[in-house]
């Protein structure tokens, strides 16, 4: 299930936020909130990420109103659950895994509560690109997983990626070495 949720949350990033508010939230928000209470660790991480993406997408629209969700989920309860999961202590994980889990659930909680936004910066040569919002960072993670170590090269040379992310920076001119001068 967690693989399907992760894939679905990647696909949701390409959907119009209005459709997320009026079509996807009523159908799936309750189920995603319930998955946070299950024992399976990866499922809780995937549903927390998907919830943060959905809610962050909704916040980016003018029609954002938490009252619309009252019949589908209890948002304060979801935030409290994420806070509990961020402080969860179990002996089945290493210290590094627990630290990563705490950080991840705290980020999800901050995005859902509206106190923080997901931002990632990518440095391409002398230029930096800021990816703001859970949807853009999820798209970047998906492309990073696909391209691997060629990510920076593609961002500097591939204009299609500029169109996908809506960035209007120009590719750098190749630097001229002393020998070529």
């Amino acid at each position: 299930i967690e693989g399907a949720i992760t894939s679905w949350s990647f696909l949701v990033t390409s959907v119009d936020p209005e459709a997320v508010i009026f079509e996807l939230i009523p159908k799936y928000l309750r189920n995603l909130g319930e998955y946070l209470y299950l024992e399976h660790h990866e499922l809780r991480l995937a549903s927390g990420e998907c919830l943060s993406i959905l809610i962050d997408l909704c916040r980016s629209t003018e029609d954002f109103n938490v009252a619309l969700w009252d019949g589908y989920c209890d948002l304060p309860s979801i935030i409290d659950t994420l806070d509990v999961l961020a402080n969860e202590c179990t002996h089945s994980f290493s210290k590094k895994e627990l630290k990563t889990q705490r950080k991840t659930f705290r980020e999800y909680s901050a995005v859902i509560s509206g106190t923080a936004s997901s931002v990632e910066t990518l440095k391409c040569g002398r230029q930096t690109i800021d990816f703001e919002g859970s949807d853009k960072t999820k798209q970047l993670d998906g492309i990073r997983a696909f391209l691997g170590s060629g990510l920076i090269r593609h961002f500097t040379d591939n204009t299609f990626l500029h169109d996908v992310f809506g960035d209007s920076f120009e590719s750098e001119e190749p630097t001229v070495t002393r020998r070529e001068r």
Side-chain angles (χ1 to χ4, degrees):
I1 293 177
E2 64 273 1
I5 292 173
T6 302
S7 300
W8 188 77
S9 62
F10 180 74
L11 290 174
V12 164
T13 62
S14 64
V15 176
D16 178 38
E18 300 291 328
V20 171
I21 292 174
F22 297 111
E23 294 176 27
L24 299 179
I25 294 285
K27 289 182 184 177
Y28 302 109
L29 197 63
R30 181 175 295 135
N31 290 344
L32 290 169
E34 291 172 0
Y35 292 152
L36 292 174
Y37 298 102
L38 299 178
E39 291 295 319
H40 195 261
H41 175 70
E42 295 297 323
L43 181 60
R44 290 187 293 186
L45 281 172
S47 62
E49 179 185 40
C50 191
L51 282 167
S52 69
I53 289 171
L54 285 172
I55 293 170
D56 198 27
L57 275 171
C58 291
R59 278 206 171 88
S60 68
T61 66
E62 295 175 11
D63 295 335
F64 175 71
N65 186 358
V66 178
L68 292 173
W69 301 339
D70 285 342
Y72 308 116
C73 76
D74 182 18
L75 204 55
S77 174
I78 288 177
I79 294 169
D80 290 342
T81 302
L82 288 170
D83 290 337
V84 167
L85 291 173
N87 296 317
E88 185 180 51
C89 185
T90 180
H91 297 288
S92 61
F93 297 117
S94 68
K95 287 182 181 181
K96 183 178 179 181
E97 290 173 326
L98 282 174
K99 183 179 177 181
T100 304
Q101 173 182 319
R102 287 184 189 113
K103 180 180 179 250
T104 303
F105 281 121
R106 283 185 186 126
E107 287 174 3
Y108 297 159
S109 176
V111 168
I112 290 173
S113 64
T115 59
S117 180
S118 180
V119 177
E120 191 165 338
T121 302
L122 184 68
K123 187 167 174 80
C124 296
R126 293 184 206 130
Q127 300 171 346
T128 59
I129 310 166
D130 291 326
F131 298 91
E132 296 181 13
S134 298
D135 57 331
K136 295 295 182 191
T137 55
K138 181 65 177 175
Q139 289 173 347
L140 178 64
D141 289 343
I143 289 176
R144 181 181 285 140
F146 181 71
L147 294 176
S149 63
L151 179 73
I152 301 297
R153 178 72 177 183
H154 276 278
F155 263 103
T156 51
D157 296 338
N158 190 345
T159 58
F160 176 71
L161 288 178
H162 299 206
D163 295 339
V164 168
F165 287 102
D167 294 320
S168 59
F169 67 93
E170 298 293 324
S171 296
E172 286 184 3
E173 295 296 323
T175 56
V176 179
T177 62
R178 286 184 181 185
R179 186 176 191 153
E180 291 174 343
R181 280 190 238 158

